Amino acid sequence: MLGYLVLAIIVFSLAAFYVGRSAGNRFVAVEGAATHSLPGYHGAFVAIWVGVPALVLVLLWLLFQETVIDGLLLAGLPAGAIDGLSAAQTRLLLSEIKNVAGGRMFGTPSEMVLEAAQTYLRWQGIAGWAMIVVAVAIMLIGGFLAYTRLAPRFRARHGVERFVTAFMIFCSAAAILTTLGIIVSLVYESLQFFAMVPAHEFFFGLNWEPQIPIRDDQVAGAGAFGAVPVFLGTLLIATIAMIIAIPVGIFSAIYLVEYADKNVRNFIKPILEILAGVPTVVYGFFAVLTVAPAIRQAGNLLGLSTSPNSALAAGLVMGIMVIPFISSLSDDALRAVPRSLRDGSLAMGATRGETITKVLVPAALPGIMGGVLLAFSRAIGETMIVVMAAGLIATMTINPLDSVTTVTVQIVTLLIGDTAFDSPKTLAAFALGLVLFVVTLCLNVVALTIVRKYREQYD
Amino acid sequence: MANPAPTPAMESFQTVRTADANANPARLKADGVNVFYGEKQALFDVSIDIPEKSVSAFIGPSGCGKSTFLRCINRMNDSIEGCRVTGDITLDGENLYDARLDVVELRARIGMVFQKPNPFPKSIFENVAYGPKIHGLARDKTDLEEIVVSSLKKAGLFEEVKDRLHAPGTGLSGGQQQRLCIARAIAVGPEVILMDEPCSALDPIATAIIEELIDELRENYTIVIVTHSMQQAARVSQKTAFFHLGKLIEEGPTEGIFTNPREKRTQDYITGRIG
């Protein structure tokens, strides 16, 4: 039914477009170039007024229909039926009514429920038809109003433009609202966590053993929620990654910009960009199956004790993963340095190397820094590689050959399997997520500010 | 020079030359210079002597090859892909296109000032100190400071910036930036200074200051200036060379070129009929 309605809206809009356009054609035929807008704009204007309000109405209707019907149902129940019921029990009653209405019966429902189910079906039918009637009415009214406004000097062009602007604002608002929603939900759950575990324990505690029992019959540890080892592990792996990625990324960018001839560049640049397109899960098993055993063997040869899931393996592979971030942003930054500076330095008798280290890199440094910070925030937020290649136990260590765990790994493990949203075990994931979010957000803001500031310098 | 040269288009064409009895001896000489960008030839058989410690101006309409020729003198065309130079340019009899010649040293002897002021995004002091530092011209810090101050003085900029030597060079006005670039070029102690339309991005007052400066600098340096402005060539130079469509049409003492050009195209350009 809904599908037909949407189809009808589309058909009506198309029809409105043709009607509007033929009106426009008439204006052009009569008035010629004195007509303000092209016939197509007249058509689009009417089509927008037919289609958009109806679509918005249908969306809102679907959003609120259920709530309204629920309210009516509860109000229609015999007096006293929901007295003394908790909110959860009321919801249970409502879903029982809906199940009965849908023909899924468990046991014998009471008389009251059967009756309510009938009412529910009736309400739903009414609501469905009402929606169609209202939608069609709105389309007709909108189309009529828009059509009567059409005239040779009517500014349909600006009308359409205003609609497009509004649509663009809506699209960008959607992204912002989603971000806000994420923040609100993270903060809300985190606050619940901090109500159970004191903040100072979380931020300064040195023990992380979150696997506490969430049901009475489970056997598990007593629990400790000191997140320091987890953050330390994240930092360790990200640092290893940056030690790999910063020099490789910057030097490959310098090579591509300053030394590589066109053919080499056209060959290497796409390959570097392929690195950015490799799914992280592929990097993950590369780390587990190839890099980790190699490191372990090398460690054994040197007589070092190496854990099978070493921070080094995860960090190395993660470093390779973020190389494209650094190299491509550094590449842009170096390329943006005006040719005149390069020439100026060369004309002073500087060699290419001196020109790069003394003039180009300092001039491009803000852009390069931006790339490094973005790569770093990517590294600490990266999940798949560390889930596969790093460990689960939070060890307080900075030895890269040891196994460490990271914030993202802990979030994943805390939310897998048995979860209960009133247990600190599950809620800890949100606290970790919030901290991670804040850190990467800050890094991104700093990085973008730096990059923007530097853009202003040359443009 | 290593590349096999395509035969240059040798039409029956002869540069008109007027000798100047008062001119200084020439240490910088070009003989039969051709420049190719890929398949396209940009300069045809250019030969000219540049007298030392005087100002030589290259004039001509846009795209006539005057800047290309200027950039041959300190081999700045090397960095342009597909650019080939044939013929000889010599400084004190030494061929600048000899394979054994060190381009880096050459550019320390032949400095360059560009069309658009291009100070490095560093402090005023660091801009001038850049050359002496990379060439190891200063023994210590006081030595370096001396070089910087004297270069700024020679470029007539010191009085204006002495209180803010460590402020960024990019914060100066256009004319000051260009004088900073001249100071930067002077700081390595070159013999020749090439100027590629040094005033085309400047206002008339800044231009007048730079022109005055060029006139002072010719006491110690051989200066070659490319300019769009014939008045500027007439004001600052002792020798003028007129380029047209990649050929050196006429060269001689500036006064002669402007008052009594011997070639019709030169006259047309000077009177504004071409260009």
Side-chain angles (χ1 to χ4, degrees):
Chain A
M1 187 116 112
L2 185 63
Y4 287 120
L5 183 57
V6 173
L7 196 67
I9 293 177
I10 292 171
V11 170
F12 271 62
S13 306
L14 280 177
F17 177 78
Y18 283 108
V19 171
R21 196 175 62 170
S22 62
N25 280 329
R26 273 202 312 282
F27 299 145
V28 173
V30 177
E31 304 271 337
T35 318
H36 181 273
S37 305
L38 291 174
Y41 283 114
H42 287 285
F45 181 77
V46 182
I48 287 168
W49 276 100
V50 168
V52 175
L55 273 178
V56 171
L57 171 94
V58 170
L59 282 178
L60 290 177
W61 194 290
L62 293 175
L63 218 58
F64 293 112
Q65 171 177 323
E66 206 60 24
T67 326
V68 173
I69 292 184
D70 283 355
L72 288 173
L73 263 186
L74 290 179
L77 289 177
I82 51 171
D83 288 355
L85 291 185
S86 73
Q89 283 166 316
T90 314
R91 276 206 299 277
L92 210 60
L93 180 66
L94 277 173
S95 73
E96 191 190 352
I97 294 173
K98 285 172 196 170
N99 276 327
V100 171
R104 298 178 295 273
M105 294 199 205
F106 310 99
T108 25
S110 68
E111 195 63 24
M112 179 188 81
V113 170
L114 279 175
E115 204 170 294
Q118 289 297 326
T119 326
Y120 176 71
L121 283 177
R122 206 174 64 237
W123 279 118
Q124 260 207 324
I126 293 173
W129 282 110
M131 178 169 75
I132 290 173
V133 169
V134 174
V136 171
I138 283 195
M139 282 193 278
L140 290 177
I141 295 171
F144 176 74
L145 286 180
Y147 186 78
T148 50
R149 289 182 66 187
L150 295 188
R153 293 300 303 159
F154 176 64
R155 299 175 179 178
R157 230 166 141 187
H158 298 315
V160 173
E161 200 102 324
R162 268 197 295 277
F163 167 75
V164 173
T165 314
F167 182 70
M168 288 189 285
I169 292 173
F170 169 76
C171 287
S172 42
I176 294 170
L177 287 178
T178 317
T179 315
L180 281 179
I182 292 174
I183 295 175
V184 168
S185 80
L186 270 180
V187 168
Y188 177 74
E189 305 286 354
S190 304
L191 284 180
Q192 284 192 310
F193 172 76
F194 287 121
M196 292 178 219
V197 177
H200 62 86
E201 191 193 321
F202 178 75
F203 286 111
F204 303 110
L206 301 184
N207 260 323
W208 179 259
E209 284 160 22
Q211 299 298 343
I212 56 168
I214 54 179
R215 283 195 309 275
D216 291 340
D217 54 348
Q218 281 178 325
V219 180
F225 289 96
V228 172
V230 183
F231 288 114
L232 192 66
T234 301
L235 207 61
L236 176 64
I237 290 185
T239 307
I240 295 171
M242 297 322 281
I243 290 173
I244 302 295
I246 291 177
V248 176
I250 293 179
F251 283 118
S252 62
I254 290 177
Y255 171 72
L256 284 178
V257 174
E258 290 301 315
Y259 291 97
D261 68 35
K262 229 157 100 201
N263 293 331
V264 177
R265 187 185 151 76
N266 287 346
F267 177 71
I268 292 185
K269 194 135 201 248
I271 292 185
L272 262 177
E273 268 147 22
I274 286 176
L275 273 186
V278 175
T280 51
V281 67
V282 174
Y283 279 116
F285 59 68
F286 176 62
V288 177
L289 299 179
T290 314
V291 179
I295 288 174
R296 199 166 149 74
Q297 270 184 348
N300 286 346
L301 278 178
L302 296 171
L304 298 169
S305 80
T306 312
S307 109
N309 291 321
S310 61
L312 189 57
L316 282 179
V317 174
M318 196 189 277
I320 293 168
M321 185 194 82
V322 297
I323 286 172
F325 287 82
I326 297 181
S327 72
S328 98
L329 275 164
S330 305
D331 188 297
D332 290 347
L334 285 168
R335 205 163 282 280
V337 177
R339 201 191 152 75
S340 63
L341 287 186
R342 204 168 279 137
D343 282 353
S345 172
L346 289 175
M348 298 289 300
T351 62
R352 248 165 157 189
E354 285 162 351
T355 302
I356 290 166
T357 52
K358 301 230 165 79
V359 176
L360 296 186
V361 170
L365 199 61
I368 294 174
M369 277 296 294
V372 168
L373 287 180
L374 280 183
F376 188 68
S377 83
R378 183 72 214 269
I380 63 172
E382 165 53 35
T383 309
M384 213 55 221
I385 293 174
V386 282
V387 165
M388 296 172 81
L392 286 178
I393 313 289
T395 335
M396 190 70 182
T397 178
I398 51 165
N399 175 4
L401 298 177
D402 251 345
S403 152
V404 297
T405 192
T406 71
V407 176
T408 48
V409 170
Q410 286 309 309
I411 292 176
V412 170
T413 50
L414 289 173
L415 292 179
I416 283 177
D418 250 348
T419 53
F421 281 78
D422 52 2
S423 151
K425 177 198 159 193
T426 311
L427 292 173
F430 291 93
L432 287 175
L434 183 66
V435 176
L436 198 61
F437 181 81
V438 169
V439 171
T440 49
L441 189 72
C442 291
L443 281 174
N444 283 352
V445 168
V446 172
L448 290 177
T449 317
I450 292 176
V451 171
R452 197 166 41 232
K453 209 170 164 187
Y454 134 88
R455 283 224 174 102
E456 286 165 359
Q457 209 178 332
Y458 295 123
D459 283 357
Chain B
M1 302 304 291
N3 302 313
T7 22
M10 286 291 223
E11 311 153 33
S12 56
F13 162 71
Q14 196 63 51
T15 304
V16 177
R17 296 177 202 281
T18 313
D20 183 358
N22 303 326
N24 294 340
R27 287 166 60 199
L28 182 63
K29 297 177 180 184
D31 188 19
V33 174
N34 294 287
V35 177
F36 303 86
Y37 290 120
E39 288 304 302
K40 197 176 159 285
Q41 187 164 3
L43 269 191
F44 300 84
D45 195 27
V46 173
S47 303
I48 189 171
D49 290 357
I50 308 287
E52 110 178 280
K53 297 197 175 158
S54 70
V55 180
S56 305
F58 296 169
I59 60 170
S62 297
C64 67
K66 54 192 193 300
S67 286
T68 299
F69 182 59
L70 189 78
R71 291 168 66 93
C72 287
I73 299 174
N74 66 346
R75 290 187 54 178
M76 281 303 281
N77 285 332
D78 287 14
S79 61
I80 296 174
E81 235 171 279
C83 178
R84 276 192 335 280
V85 180
T86 67
D88 290 332
I89 301 178
T90 54
L91 180 60
D92 290 334
E94 190 185 358
N95 190 349
L96 303 186
Y97 281 83
D98 192 316
R100 284 163 301 179
L101 178 119
D102 181 4
V103 182
V104 165
E105 264 176 27
L106 167 71
R107 290 183 186 147
R109 291 174 67 190
I110 305 182
M112 187 163 191
V113 176
F114 294 83
Q115 183 170 1
K116 209 177 135 236
N118 58 348
F120 302 131
K122 300 170 185 286
S123 71
I124 294 169
F125 184 91
E126 285 297 325
N127 260 287
V128 182
Y130 182 77
K133 270 188 184 168
I134 58 176
H135 294 297
L137 299 182
R139 281 186 312 277
D140 51 34
K141 234 182 137 213
T142 28
D143 213 14
L144 185 66
E145 271 167 24
E146 243 167 64
I147 295 178
V148 170
V149 170
S150 80
S151 304
L152 283 171
K153 276 183 179 156
K154 280 186 207 157
L157 188 62
F158 184 69
E159 287 305 315
E160 290 160 58
V161 300
K162 63 183 175 192
D163 301 324
R164 46 173 173 155
L165 285 179
H166 296 282
T170 43
L172 296 174
S173 75
Q176 290 173 325
Q177 286 190 14
Q178 197 62 297
R179 276 180 283 152
L180 178 62
C181 292
I182 293 174
R184 189 174 73 184
I186 291 172
V188 279
E191 296 152 39
V192 181
I193 301 176
L194 309 176
M195 297 189 176
D196 188 358
E197 300 182 30
C199 301
S200 65
L202 304 181
D203 63 67
I205 294 172
T207 301
I209 296 174
I210 301 259
E211 284 178 5
E212 224 169 276
L213 173 62
I214 291 172
D215 202 48
E216 283 168 26
L217 288 175
R218 83 181 150 97
E219 296 235 338
N220 299 307
Y221 304 96
T222 305
I223 292 172
V224 186
I225 178 171
V226 161
T227 176
H228 257 121
S229 147
M230 285 168 286
Q231 293 86 337
Q232 184 169 65
R235 282 193 299 261
V236 301
S237 71
Q238 285 75 52
K239 175 171 188 160
T240 296
F242 170 63
F243 286 75
H244 187 54
L245 299 177
K247 298 188 179 93
L248 174 56
I249 306 293
E250 181 167 355
E251 54 122 325
T254 299
E255 235 188 80
I257 294 267
F258 281 97
T259 54
N260 185 23
R262 290 164 52 197
E263 167 71 30
K264 183 165 183 308
R265 276 173 290 185
T266 317
Q267 190 175 10
D268 286 349
Y269 182 67
I270 289 169
T271 53
R273 238 169 281 162
I274 55 171

